[in-house]
Amino acid sequence: MSVARRYRFVLPAGWGYLAASESVEAAVARLVPDDGPTAGRAALAKLRPVLRQQLRSLRGRTVASGGVDILLPVAPRAGAIIPANIVIARPGAEERSEYASGGLPTGWASAEGGADRSERRADLVGELPVTRHLRVRREQTDEAGTTADLIRVDYFIPVSPERERELALIVSATVLGRVGDERLPPSTVEVLVTLVDAIIHTFQWEEPPR
């Protein structure tokens, strides 16, 4: 499956696309339609409220942070939704200016201090010179008191290879090291990070910003 706006991703089977401006109910109806096979309708009925809750949380955070698009799993694997999502945001003027000066925007760079592990590297997505910034926070506890690992990978995508320090998009992938109450082993979390890396590497400009 592919997503096309001014940019394009190729998504794995079971992933979907949501514009931050789309209503949650409309997105759930589109991503999990009622007219599926009879044999799968019971599973879909269980999936809808889970997806609805996830979309409400994601959409709220995405809009608040200036995000425009969300990529996320919408079909269960082994009875559970893959605990990962990708948010695409257009950077503000201050973020673009800070990136143009050779570093990361302050909000991203300063967050390294709280991470158990932080890595930054130059990467290539097609011909685009992308900065990839990974942060790992081990033993994070949520509101319910459940412990898991939280992985955040940010990809800073420039306008073009010729204008490599002109920031056009910030693509942020989050991987949660837990499915329900089950904590995932580090090896599984690494597989999920590899999956979102693979999705990002399918990025292409359809209509590059001028």
Side-chain angles (χ1 to χ4, degrees):
M1 181 178 179
S2 65
V3 175
R5 302 291 259 187
R6 288 167 42 218
Y7 45 82
R8 173 186 177 90
F9 291 91
V10 177
L11 298 182
W15 279 64
Y17 155 78
L18 167 72
S21 58
E22 184 177 6
S23 77
V24 169
E25 290 306 321
V28 171
R30 174 174 59 81
L31 297 171
V32 191
D34 287 319
D35 57 353
T38 302
R41 285 179 186 170
L44 292 179
K46 292 181 180 179
L47 173 61
R48 283 191 197 95
V50 174
L51 183 60
R52 188 176 289 112
Q53 180 181 13
Q54 183 184 25
L55 284 179
R56 283 198 182 112
S57 173
L58 262 180
R59 185 176 177 273
R61 285 188 279 122
T62 299
V63 171
S65 63
V68 291
D69 293 317
I70 303 168
L71 313 177
L72 76 168
V74 296
R77 291 289 181 266
I81 294 290
I82 296 172
N85 60 74
I86 298 170
V87 172
I88 299 99
R90 294 191 180 99
E94 185 175 350
E95 291 170 322
R96 293 197 304 271
S97 175
E98 290 174 331
Y99 192 76
S101 67
L104 292 183
T106 302
W108 274 259
S110 61
E112 291 179 352
D116 298 306
R117 184 171 128 225
S118 179
E119 300 171 0
R120 191 188 313 177
R121 72 165 189 247
D123 202 352
L124 276 178
V125 174
E127 296 181 343
L128 289 172
V130 171
T131 300
R132 179 185 184 274
H133 181 208
L134 177 143
R135 282 170 284 163
V136 180
R137 286 181 168 81
R138 304 288 185 192
E139 305 291 334
Q140 293 299 293
T141 304
D142 64 13
E143 295 87 350
T146 305
T147 300
D149 297 331
L150 181 63
I151 317 306
R152 171 82 175 265
V153 195
D154 298 304
Y155 308 82
F156 298 84
I157 298 180
V159 169
S160 69
E162 294 77 24
R163 295 148 65 186
E164 62 182 57
R165 295 306 301 185
E166 188 170 336
L167 184 59
L169 292 175
I170 300 173
V171 181
S172 298
T174 301
V175 174
L176 180 65
R178 189 182 76 236
V179 172
D181 293 329
E182 180 184 353
R183 186 170 181 179
L184 298 175
S187 58
T188 301
V189 175
E190 291 298 327
V191 168
L192 294 180
V193 172
T194 299
L195 172 64
V196 296
D197 263 332
I199 294 172
I200 302 306
H201 278 77
T202 69
F203 176 92
Q204 288 184 333
W205 284 116
E206 296 246 319
E207 182 188 339
R210 297 177 180 177

